[in-house]
Amino acid sequence: MAADERKHGDPVRPAPAHGHGHAHDHDHDHDHDGQPRTPDTNETGYYELMATAIRELLIEKGVITADEVRKQLEFMDSRSPALGAQMIARAWADPAYKKRLLADGTKAAAEFGIPMGDAELIVVENTPKVHNMIVCTLCSCYPRTVLGLPPDWYKSKSYRSRAVIEPRAVLEEFGTEVRDDVTVRVHDSNADMRYLVLPMRPEGTEGWSEEKLADLVTRDSMIGTGLPKNPKEIA
Amino acid sequence: MDGVHDMGGTDGFGKVEVEKDEPVFHAPWEGRVLAMQRAMGYAGAWHIDHSRFAQERLPPLTYLGVSYYQRWALAMENNVTERGYASPEELKAGHAVTPGKTLPRKLTLDVVERGLTRSSFFRQQQGPQRFQPGDRVRTKNIHPASHTRLPRYARGKLGVVELCHGCHMYPDSVAVDRGDDPQWLYTVVFTSQELWGPDADPTSEVSIDAFEPYLESA
């Protein structure tokens, strides 16, 4: 579970005593079944200090600069699902682009000026017979350059453990209905290929502009845990 | 290594919970850890598989108990000290004692803007490609003590090659400093019943990306 990734105390490193006179959101102190957990403010204190120490040391030693760290963060901040949505919308509107996208995702992303960095992009197409879904069971591989940073649930132990063994149960929890006569294909992105799902174009969108089509493309529909929005929602 | 990080098929972690508003960072230091990790990666200080392996080597209770970016921070601390970019004593003292180690290359701001934060995994082909799309293969039943990208749930299983992605640097070698050791990389598809037994859902399947040394003909 997503919150679980953040709540537990560190069983290895001792945390200092916890004071309440600070401005941290206190809803982290209990999980949903009411069990008290070690508040994550203590660990954050420790890790914040450690991360700062590493950063300042590396800067002092001339290994990195503060500007590089800031710029790097700005670049990652500028990546969002809107980038992937543009590509999907064009593939829906332009059969030639769709062909290029499925043949070489990395090159098709470059057509929008989206760099993939070191990884390769593989685009997998949903059809009336196959529904695709992406996971990384070993770490947290995710097409960050076209979708931005992954949500917590994608990196959670729960999603990583369950997506490959009971994908339909996971889809159900997301409220995503995939009929029994459709094969669910789970892609475990365990090497350095990054996967993006090309969802099916919703019916009732004939003649729509790429811009309007892009509004239908949700992040989860490109991971495969969701579907595009219903055209009626935005018409 | 057969660590707790290899989670595919593990029971007991509960429902997948979607967090309200889905913040990508929960504190500013998390973003700085991510940014430093990418900067050090581009600079050639270590490879992404060194980071992965450093996380896998964390004590199991730590791996399972700390948050995502706490795990990253611990792995980075290990890589920084093990590779001599700073010593544990310096981290404790909070200031440098020795000069910095020279990096293979440096991340500059224009490089960040172009998104070229790391280099490609793609490598020139080494030997002939052993498998073709459509070939039946069996993954090897291997349990290396070091880093591997063959998940436990997919070992010793019968699958079909779907795609060949060319030659890529081999994580199992990279993580233990044995060089790029390029290997052919394939997408291999397994039925859920092959992976999880006859009771598994017959309408689902799983694919992994498998390096050639993970595979044998079947």
Side-chain angles (χ1 to χ4, degrees):
Chain A
M1 71 191 88
D4 198 46
E5 292 280 287
R6 298 179 293 110
K7 281 184 201 158
H8 285 293
D10 183 332
V12 174
R13 289 169 196 262
H18 177 53
H20 273 255
H22 54 75
H24 193 84
D25 47 343
H26 271 249
D27 55 358
H28 291 176
D29 291 2
H30 299 269
D31 72 4
H32 33 88
D33 52 18
Q35 289 287 93
R37 295 271 180 88
T38 310
D40 63 355
T41 43
N42 293 329
E43 293 89 283
T44 297
Y46 172 82
Y47 287 94
E48 181 170 13
L49 217 64
M50 194 244 278
T52 305
I54 294 177
R55 176 171 161 270
E56 289 183 354
L57 257 182
L58 294 177
I59 291 169
E60 190 185 346
K61 290 165 95 90
V63 177
I64 52 174
T65 70
D67 257 5
E68 287 162 13
V69 173
R70 183 182 50 75
K71 198 87 187 172
Q72 189 63 251
L73 206 47
E74 280 170 12
F75 175 77
M76 286 317 292
D77 249 1
S78 69
R79 307 293 95 185
S80 83
L83 298 169
Q86 287 177 53
M87 294 164 58
I88 300 302
R90 179 157 304 168
W92 284 347
D94 176 356
Y97 182 76
K98 177 178 163 181
K99 213 171 158 185
R100 296 199 295 280
L101 183 68
L102 293 172
D104 188 336
T106 312
K107 273 191 194 153
E111 288 186 38
F112 281 92
I114 305 168
M116 278 306 294
D118 53 356
E120 303 289 331
L121 184 67
I122 310 273
V123 179
V124 288
E125 183 186 15
N126 284 353
T127 68
K129 287 184 174 162
V130 180
H131 178 89
N132 295 283
M133 185 171 149
I134 315 301
V135 66
C136 174
T137 62
L138 297 175
C139 50
S140 55
C141 300
Y142 184 79
R144 290 157 190 249
T145 48
V146 289
L147 294 186
L149 294 170
D152 265 18
W153 63 259
Y154 183 86
K155 306 176 286 188
S156 70
K157 303 174 205 39
S158 177
Y159 187 70
R160 286 169 56 191
S161 59
R162 293 177 56 210
V164 285
I165 190 168
E166 46 174 0
R168 282 185 187 272
V170 172
L171 285 168
E172 229 168 80
E173 279 171 30
F174 275 88
T176 301
E177 203 184 317
V178 177
R179 291 201 326 260
D180 285 349
D181 59 344
V182 177
T183 299
V184 174
R185 157 69 77 86
V186 181
H187 300 261
D188 189 352
S189 26
N190 59 312
D192 284 292
M193 316 304 285
R194 296 289 173 273
Y195 287 88
L196 184 76
V197 175
L198 169 57
M200 282 193 286
R201 177 174 175 163
E203 283 175 25
T205 57
E206 293 72 22
W208 282 32
S209 67
E210 273 183 39
E211 206 182 358
K212 205 170 162 192
L213 286 170
D215 286 342
L216 295 173
V217 184
T218 62
R219 180 198 64 201
D220 290 2
S221 73
M222 295 183 276
I223 305 173
T225 50
L227 299 174
K229 287 182 202 159
N230 184 326
K232 288 180 191 138
E233 279 180 56
I234 68 155
Chain B
M1 59 181 281
D2 290 355
V4 292
H5 68 282
D6 188 353
M7 295 190 158
T10 306
D11 287 323
F13 290 122
K15 277 192 162 188
V16 179
E17 298 206 3
V18 178
E19 197 180 8
K20 188 171 175 279
D21 300 332
E22 305 194 313
V24 288
F25 301 121
H26 298 88
W29 69 265
E30 295 187 340
R32 288 199 291 270
V33 167
L34 169 73
M36 278 194 280
Q37 179 64 48
R38 292 178 67 90
M40 295 299 273
Y42 179 82
W46 57 76
H47 189 268
I48 188 169
D49 282 296
H50 292 120
S51 307
R52 289 171 178 148
F53 191 31
Q55 291 195 26
E56 293 161 10
R57 281 181 290 143
L58 293 172
L61 281 179
T62 304
Y63 186 98
L64 293 173
V66 304
S67 77
Y68 181 73
Y69 283 109
Q70 288 173 353
R71 213 159 66 214
W72 276 48
L74 291 171
M76 189 163 66
E77 184 186 21
N78 288 342
N79 271 324
V80 162
T81 53
E82 281 172 16
R83 292 175 185 274
Y85 291 99
S87 68
E89 292 72 32
E90 288 175 314
L91 274 176
K92 211 171 168 188
H95 59 81
V97 176
T98 56
K101 187 172 158 184
T102 313
L103 292 161
R105 60 178 173 171
K106 220 158 155 128
L107 180 68
T108 52
L109 298 184
D110 62 310
V111 171
V112 179
E113 263 159 19
R114 282 182 283 128
L116 302 172
T117 47
R118 294 180 291 189
S119 53
S120 174
F121 291 94
F122 189 79
R123 292 293 179 273
Q124 282 307 308
Q125 61 180 73
Q126 299 299 298
Q129 178 185 337
R130 197 172 149 206
F131 303 109
Q132 304 298 327
D135 284 358
R136 281 159 53 92
V137 288
R138 187 177 289 281
T139 50
K140 290 182 188 165
N141 180 15
I142 50 168
H143 297 267
S146 52
H147 184 65
T148 183
R149 298 295 286 180
L150 179 60
R152 238 178 298 178
Y153 74 82
R155 293 179 191 165
K157 305 293 183 189
L158 195 62
V160 176
V161 173
E162 188 175 62
L163 285 169
C164 177
H165 301 294
C167 271
H168 291 244
M169 50 203 297
Y170 186 42
D172 304 44
S173 294
V174 172
V176 289
D177 296 319
R178 283 206 301 258
D180 287 356
D181 188 17
Q183 302 291 342
W184 291 99
L185 180 66
Y186 306 90
T187 294
V188 179
V189 193
F190 308 90
T191 65
S192 285
Q193 293 186 327
E194 171 67 13
L195 296 176
W196 312 109
D199 293 339
D201 172 14
T203 67
S204 67
E205 58 191 24
V206 178
S207 59
I208 65 166
D209 289 327
F211 292 90
E212 198 170 88
Y214 299 164
L215 302 172
E216 53 200 13
S217 299

